[in-house]
Amino acid sequence: MKLTRQTLIFISVLVTLTCQNQATTESTADIIVPKISEWQVTVVNGLVADKNLYVHCRSKEDDLGERNLTSEESFTWGFRQNIIHTTLFWCYMSKHDVHAKLNVFWDDVILFHRCGWKTCVWIAKDDGVYLRDFATGDDLISTKWEVGL
Ligand SMILES: *[C@@H]1O[C@H](CO)[C@@H](O)[C@H](O)[C@H]1NC(C)=O
């Protein structure tokens, strides 16, 4: 069969309609389990006053840009976890002459519990980067600073 322009348009409309159907199915699932796909990540500068925290967070698709957080300042972004659950965000952080590179969101039930199934709160402190445990309110050390930038 010779693929005319009209045939191609027809196929692409079909594909679009099929995808819309899947999206509808997905949002029905969301109504049943609403907390699984809506997420936030927060990065907090918990360094002692007047210490700058440099943060650069990304996923494969999104570059959230470079920013400098002053003490107590935080930065939050939200997203929907993708259907095949491969969403991954990571951050490079640094202060003075030390740095850390860590994943801040990935598909992991233990992480989801720590995040209260809603918001993952990462806090940069003087000795490393911590994840807040939603259930207990404790900050759990995740990564120590490494020397160098
Ligand atoms: C963050 O601070 C560093 C070091 O002072 C500076 O080089 C950089 O341009 C700043 N970036 C932003 C986005 O403010």
Side-chain angles (χ1 to χ4, degrees), residues 52 54 66-68:
N52 180 71
Y54 169 89
E66 302 172 59
R67 53 188 80 210
N68 292 309

Side-chain angles (χ1 to χ4, degrees), residues 24-80:
T24 310
T25 310
E26 177 69 8
S27 47
T28 309
D30 283 351
I31 293 163
I32 300 162
V33 194
K35 288 174 181 168
I36 286 182
S37 58
E38 299 275 354
W39 290 96
Q40 285 190 325
V41 174
T42 296
V43 176
V44 184
N45 180 348
L47 303 172
V48 174
D50 298 328
K51 296 271 164 61
N52 180 71
L53 178 72
Y54 169 89
V55 185
H56 187 183
C57 300
R58 321 186 39 166
S59 70
K60 245 181 180 172
E61 297 80 19
D62 299 297
D63 185 336
L64 299 160
E66 302 172 59
R67 53 188 80 210
N68 292 309
L69 302 180
T70 57
S71 192
E72 311 273 308
E73 196 182 349
S74 66
F75 143 61
T76 299
W77 70 95
F79 55 92
R80 305 188 110 234

